[in-house]
Every structure is written in structure tokens, then in C-alpha cells.
């Protein structure tokens, strides 16, 4: 039985030397296929010398590629021992990329555009194997993070494992599921064109290369098949710091808040105070041209509904269960008494913020992703067994997962998360700010342009 070998690699101070990993390699595709990197359909992430996987692969170089996340695997032909020819995705040949296909593919590459680093060389790190910047390479026996390609183990296979366990021969990452499941090499995805079984080469994890990625190889046909797996739920945080450069500013704390309200009455009467504004492109490329705003509201408010106008202003539709035409003088006075402090903090000039890669301050954070982590359980339900397992898998994938320790998940069937047509709204962002009480959440309906803002006490 093959054992697993896990090695970690750190960024080298000097240039390439010997058997090293190279990030963002430049020469990975044959000449005719370089167009795919120009079109952002493929991004070369790492080059790995074959000898790091096993001696028989000495002289070969394998490349880990970022490809559209709508596909489970990509096929390449290894040409002249170190370059790739793209064959296709999910077993389908590459066809001419129409503008519609390119838009679909680049949208599915968004997760890779969000993460980037400089080209670098990585050498084995024997001193600090748990440094968060480490690149992790697994060779020997494959270990999957999701169960797509597994079968149940036989009694004979389990007996071998029991004996190895007794002899203390099991390597790191031989988790308990090895005694129940193993890779099903009879599946068509593990066969080359001639029916030969593909050999596992290696698995890589890198902090800025989202997901976990696996390379299999056919010595006879030179077919390289790369599988990529991603957490089913994920989010990302952007920490912000002030900048004097308005052009570089991503987030704006507004000096003229009423400019983003279709009707400034709600600002003038100190009912609502728009505070932070940011472009939709920060959330997702498909929201380019839109602009979202976090609006401070009286602390007794739990939800606000707005219509995002064509000029990116907010038209107030509802304040909890109350429509604007039902705002009485008493209600407005009540709002005044619960929000007046924020009106004393409006800056004389707009303040701009840019991303803080050093995360030097936690005073202003926006969270984006497939869904948010709520501070309260109002719009949540208990996880299913499958969701618990998926979050555990995601944790093992990257050793960090904001959803793993929570027994609850966002209830996408909750009526509060539906738009007027009954369709589930998209999570936009969660705001944490040191100078703001509680936490604010934004959801959006692209079809109706409904923006729903939630507030929860922390």
C-alpha cells in the first residue's frame, strides 16, 4: 500500500535552484494555447518537478492551473516533457470560445481573480511546517476532501489498514475515512483514452490558490488530468485602512450622505443616515456599474427595503413592516432619539478606504461570499448531516473555515430572504465597523433591484 507524504514549502530568498516549486510560471502552454491565459480562461498557478512526486517522473514538469470553477476537471497533453496543450474540460473537447462562453467562463474565474501574489520560488520548509504562508504538497496515496470519487473499502483492504495501524505505519492524513472509503479507480474519470488507469501525481494547497487541486497522469498517452475541489460555502473578508488617494479608495465614508437617497427627506428628518458606499465590482464583476450603501438606522430597526435606482440611489420602500407613507410625527421623533449620535459623526470631507493586506486594523471589515455568518439565528436553520460533512471537508481543505463551528446555516427558504417575486436574494456584504453599533448585512435582487438591509446586535 502506498503511503502518503506531505511536505511544506516556503518562499525562497534566492532564485530557482534544484527541485523547487514555481508560482505563476510563465512558460506552461504551447504557443497556440497561450491565448487561453490572455482570455483569463486559464491561469498558471504552480509548476512542480515530477521528481518531487516520484523518481519515475524525473525530467517532467507538471503545472497546476486555475480554470473555471463550473468544471470538475481539466485535461491537458504534456508536450516535450514540460508544456501543456489544453484538451478540454469535464471530458469535453475545447470548442471555439464565443463571447457568451467567455463571459460565462471568466465569471467562473472570479474566485481566482480575488487572490493573487507575486511570482516566486518555493523550497522545502523543514523548520516551520505550520506557517500559514506554506505551500503544501501531498504525494503517494491521494487524499480527497470530497467524496465524489470514492467507493467503500473491502474487508481485505481494511485488514491491511488495521495491520499497518498496529505497526504504527500509517502516515499523517490517513484519516478514519480510509477505513471505510478509497478512491474508485474503476470510474471513467480515472481512465485515459486507451482505458489505462491514471496515476496520482500530487495534490497542492496554497493560501492564495483557492481550493485544493490534484494532478493525475498517463505515462502512455501523456494525458494530464487536473481535478479542482472547492468548499461549497465560502466567504472572504476585506480589511480596510484609510487612504488619501480618492482614486485608490474602494470604500467611502460620505460627507454628503443624502446624495445616495432618492428622497433626502429621510436624511433631513434624521431617520436614516447613509454612511459607507462601495462599488458592486468589489462583490462580483457582474455587479460592475452598481453601487451599494450601508445605511445607519435607529437601533430598533431590523430590516430596510430600498430600490436601487438607475443612478445608484436608494429609494426607501419599507422600514420593518412600515411603509414611508405611514411615518407619523411620533415615529419620526422616535427615530431621531435612537440615531442622533451618528449624525454628529458625519465627516466634513469624505473619508476613503482601501484594502489592508496586512490586516493591521480590525476597525472596518467587509465580508463577501456565498453567504454570511449571522450574529443571531433569526434567518438560520440547523445544518443537515451533508452540510456538516461539507463544512468539515472545507476545513480540512484549507485549515480554516468560518462555517465549520456553527451548527446552523442560512435558511435560503426564509421569506425574509426572498424578493417580491419569491426568488432568493443574493448576499452582497456584511459590515463590521468599530464606530458602528451592531452588524449590518446587505442582500440584493438583480432582477428587481431590491436591496434589503438587515441589522443585528452583536
Amino acid at each position: 500500500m502506498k503511503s502518503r507524504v506531505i511536505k511544506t514549502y516556503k518562499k525562497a530568498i534566492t532564485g530557482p535552484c534544484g527541485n523547487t516549486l514555481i508560482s505563476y510560471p510563465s512558460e506552461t502552454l504551447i504557443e497556440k494555447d497561450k491565448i487561453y491565459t490572455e482570455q483569463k480562461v486559464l491561469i498558471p498557478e504552480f509548476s512542480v518537478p515530477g521528481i518531487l512526486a516520484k523518481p519515475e517522473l524525473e525530467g517532467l514538469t507538471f503545472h497546476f492551473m486555475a480554470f473555471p470553477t463550473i468544471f470538475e476537471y481539466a485535461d491537458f497533453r504534456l508536450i516535450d516533457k514540460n508544456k501543456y496543450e489544453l484538451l478540454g474540460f469535464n471530458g469535453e473537447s475545447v470548442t471555439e470560445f464565443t463571447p457568451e462562453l467567455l463571459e460565462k467562463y471568466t465569471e467562473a474565474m472570479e474566485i481566482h481573480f480575488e487572490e493573487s501574489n507575486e511570482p516566486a520560488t518555493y523550497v522545502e520548509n523543514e523548520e516551520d511546517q505550520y506557517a500559514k504562508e506554506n505551500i503544501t504538497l501531498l504525494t503517494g496515496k491521494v487524499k480527497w476532501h470530497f467524496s465524489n470519487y470514492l467507493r467503500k473499502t473491502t474487508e481485505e483492504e481494511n485488514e491491511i489498514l488495521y495491520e499497518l495501524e498496529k505497526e504504527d505505519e500509517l502516515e499523517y492524513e490517513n484519516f478514519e475515512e480510509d477505513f471505510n472509503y478509497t478512491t474508485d479507480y474503476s470510474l471513467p474519470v480515472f481512465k485515459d483514452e486507451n482505458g489505462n488507469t491514471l496515476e496520482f501525481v500530487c495534490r497542492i494547497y496554497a493560501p492564495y490558490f483557492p481550493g485544493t487541486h490534484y494532478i493525475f497522469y498517463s505515462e502512455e498517452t501523456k494525458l494530464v488530468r487536473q481535478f479542482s475541489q472547492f468548499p461549497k460555502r465560502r466567504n472572504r473578508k476585506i480589511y480596510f485602512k484609510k487612504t488619501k488617494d480618492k482614486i485608490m479608495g474602494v470604500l467611502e465614508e460620505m460627507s454628503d450622505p443624502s446624495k445616495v437617497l432618492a428622497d433626502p427627506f429621510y436624511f433631513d428628518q434624521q431617520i436614516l443616515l447613509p454612511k459607507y458606499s462601495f462599488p458592486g465590482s468589489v462583490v462580483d464583476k457582474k455587479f460592475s456599474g452598481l453601487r451599494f450603501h450601508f445605511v445607519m438606522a435607529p437601533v430598533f430597526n431590523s430590516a430596510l427595503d430600498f430600490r436601487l435606482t438607475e443612478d445608484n440611489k436608494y429609494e426607501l420602500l419599507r422600514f420593518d413592516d412600515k411603509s414611508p407613507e405611514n411615518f407619523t410625527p411620533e415615529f419620526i421623533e422616535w427615530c431621531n432619539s435612537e440615531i442622533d449620535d451618528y449624525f454628529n459623526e458625519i465627516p466634513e470631507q469624505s473619508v476613503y478606504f482601501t484594502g489592508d493586506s496586512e490586516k493591521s486594523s480590525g476597525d472596518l471589515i467587509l465580508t463577501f461570499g456565498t453567504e454570511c455568518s449571522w450574529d443571531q439565528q433569526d434567518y438560520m436553520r440547523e445544518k443537515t448531516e451533508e452540510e456538516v460533512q461539507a463544512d468539515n471537508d472545507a476545513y480540512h481543505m484549507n485549515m480554516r473555515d468560518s462555517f465549520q463551528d456553527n451548527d446552523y446555516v442560512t435558511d435560503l427558504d426564509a421569506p425574509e430572504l426572498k424578493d417580491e417575486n419569491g426568488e432568493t436574494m443574493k448576499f452582497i456584504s456584511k459590515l463590521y465597523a468599530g464606530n458602528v453599533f451592531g452588524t449590518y448585512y446587505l442582500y440584493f435582487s438583480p432582477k428587481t433591484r431590491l436591496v434589503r438591509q438587515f441589522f443585528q446586535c452583536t
Side-chain angles (χ1 to χ4, degrees):
M1 171 186 167
K2 292 181 181 177
S3 61
R4 293 196 179 103
V5 178
I6 289 195
K7 292 186 178 181
T8 57
Y9 293 80
K10 64 180 179 180
K11 191 175 291 187
I13 299 175
T14 57
C17 56
N19 295 316
T20 57
L21 305 184
I22 308 293
S23 65
Y24 299 112
S26 56
E27 295 299 321
T28 58
L29 294 168
I30 61 174
E31 195 63 35
K32 74 177 181 66
D33 284 0
K34 289 183 178 180
I35 188 174
Y36 300 129
T37 58
E38 296 168 7
Q39 294 172 326
K40 301 295 185 183
V41 174
L42 295 173
I43 300 176
E45 296 278 355
F46 283 94
S47 288
V48 179
I51 195 172
L52 294 182
K54 49 186 177 181
E56 307 92 275
L57 298 177
E58 183 176 8
L60 306 183
T61 303
F62 296 93
H63 312 291
F64 281 98
M65 295 282 189
F67 56 83
T69 57
I70 55 177
F71 300 113
E72 290 184 29
Y73 62 90
D75 284 347
F76 305 92
R77 187 82 66 206
L78 187 61
I79 306 293
D80 296 332
K81 298 185 177 183
N82 63 3
K83 289 192 177 181
Y84 277 4
E85 175 189 10
L86 176 64
L87 302 180
F89 301 108
N90 283 12
E92 297 291 331
S93 300
V94 172
T95 56
E96 182 181 352
F97 290 164
T98 63
E100 293 75 22
L101 267 182
L102 273 178
E103 183 178 357
K104 180 180 179 180
Y105 288 174
T106 53
E107 184 176 322
M109 290 289 285
E110 194 76 25
I111 188 175
H112 298 296
F113 301 152
E114 295 163 1
E115 303 282 352
S116 62
N117 212 318
E118 296 297 320
T121 300
Y122 289 81
V123 296
E124 190 172 346
N125 184 4
E126 298 178 347
E127 300 169 359
D128 186 2
Q129 297 184 10
Y130 299 100
K132 65 180 181 179
E133 302 86 3
N134 278 351
I135 309 302
T136 303
L137 197 70
L138 179 145
T139 59
K141 182 184 177 185
V142 64
K143 168 69 177 73
W144 300 95
H145 284 122
F146 295 107
S147 59
N148 310 46
Y149 312 114
L150 299 179
R151 64 166 173 80
K152 286 191 174 182
T153 50
T154 64
E155 290 184 12
E156 292 80 6
E157 288 168 331
N158 282 339
E159 283 299 323
I160 295 172
L161 288 167
Y162 290 136
E163 288 301 316
L164 290 172
E165 186 182 40
K166 287 178 184 177
E167 297 169 13
D168 200 26
E169 291 289 329
L170 289 184
E171 299 290 338
Y172 174 68
E173 273 221 353
N174 276 270
F175 294 110
E176 289 183 4
E177 59 261 36
D178 278 346
F179 289 88
N180 300 300
Y181 296 93
T182 188
T183 302
D184 186 356
Y185 281 102
S186 68
L187 293 173
V189 293
F190 296 116
K191 305 296 181 182
D192 68 9
E193 308 95 314
N194 298 337
N196 301 307
T197 300
L198 300 175
E199 290 282 332
F200 173 61
V201 178
C202 58
R203 184 190 85 183
I204 199 169
Y205 165 72
Y208 50 85
F209 183 16
T212 304
H213 313 273
Y214 312 73
I215 283 179
F216 287 75
Y217 178 61
S218 168
E219 185 177 358
E220 180 179 306
T221 67
K222 312 304 178 191
L223 173 68
V224 177
R225 179 161 291 161
Q226 178 187 315
F227 296 86
S228 291
Q229 295 185 324
F230 301 89
K232 291 179 172 57
R233 299 189 295 144
R234 57 185 181 269
N235 64 26
R236 61 187 172 93
K237 292 183 178 180
I238 297 182
Y239 290 70
F240 286 94
K241 62 182 179 181
K242 291 181 181 179
T243 177
K244 294 181 179 179
D245 189 345
K246 179 179 178 180
I247 304 300
M248 292 295 293
V250 174
L251 188 71
E252 177 189 1
E253 182 178 3
M254 295 171 284
S255 60
D256 183 15
S258 64
K259 68 181 180 181
V260 300
L261 292 176
D263 187 345
F265 169 83
Y266 307 109
F267 172 79
D268 297 337
Q269 294 296 311
Q270 296 194 1
I271 300 171
L272 301 174
L273 174 64
K275 190 171 182 67
Y276 295 109
S277 180
F278 61 96
S281 57
V282 177
V283 183
D284 195 306
K285 187 174 137 183
K286 64 187 175 187
F287 295 138
S288 295
L290 304 183
R291 197 163 184 91
F292 297 101
H293 323 289
F294 279 107
V295 178
M296 304 298 101
V299 293
F300 59 82
N301 170 258
S302 59
L304 293 169
D305 278 4
F306 300 99
R307 187 81 66 207
L308 185 64
T309 64
E310 290 299 322
D311 55 352
N312 287 319
K313 293 184 178 182
Y314 276 4
E315 175 190 355
L316 180 63
L317 304 178
R318 295 198 72 80
F319 184 115
D320 289 329
D321 59 353
K322 191 183 291 290
S323 56
E325 58 266 23
N326 294 323
F327 287 4
T328 64
E330 293 76 18
F331 175 77
I332 294 174
E333 186 177 347
W334 185 24
C335 291
N336 295 164
S337 65
E338 298 292 345
I339 197 177
D340 58 343
D341 286 349
Y342 286 135
F343 280 85
N344 298 327
E345 299 169 358
I346 300 173
E348 292 184 4
Q349 292 185 327
S350 288
V351 181
Y352 296 93
F353 299 83
T354 189
D356 180 9
S357 59
E358 300 297 323
K359 302 179 183 179
S360 55
S361 171
D363 287 342
L364 186 55
I365 305 170
L366 290 188
T367 303
F368 310 96
T370 56
E371 63 181 86
C372 61
S373 295
W374 298 89
D375 290 327
Q376 298 177 16
Q377 297 175 5
D378 298 7
Y379 314 114
M380 305 185 78
R381 58 167 174 78
E382 284 194 58
K383 289 180 183 176
T384 63
E385 289 184 10
E386 291 79 8
E387 287 167 337
V388 171
Q389 184 59 51
D391 287 344
N392 287 337
D393 289 338
Y395 175 79
H396 288 305
M397 179 179 291
N398 56 23
M399 305 312 291
R400 55 184 171 85
D401 182 68
S402 58
F403 300 108
Q404 189 211 15
D405 294 331
N406 199 329
D407 294 330
Y408 292 81
V409 64
T410 299
D411 184 2
L412 298 179
D413 290 326
E416 293 87 352
L417 300 182
K418 305 289 186 181
D419 66 11
E420 309 96 314
N421 299 330
E423 296 189 17
T424 302
M425 303 174 74
K426 305 291 185 184
F427 170 59
I428 295 298
S429 184
K430 171 182 175 179
L431 167 73
Y432 169 79
N435 60 346
V436 170
F437 175 71
T439 308
Y440 287 85
Y441 310 78
L442 288 181
Y443 276 75
F444 178 61
S445 170
K447 287 187 178 180
T448 68
R449 296 179 71 97
L450 175 67
V451 177
R452 182 163 292 151
Q453 176 181 288
F454 297 95
F455 169 80
Q456 290 185 342
C457 295
T458 50

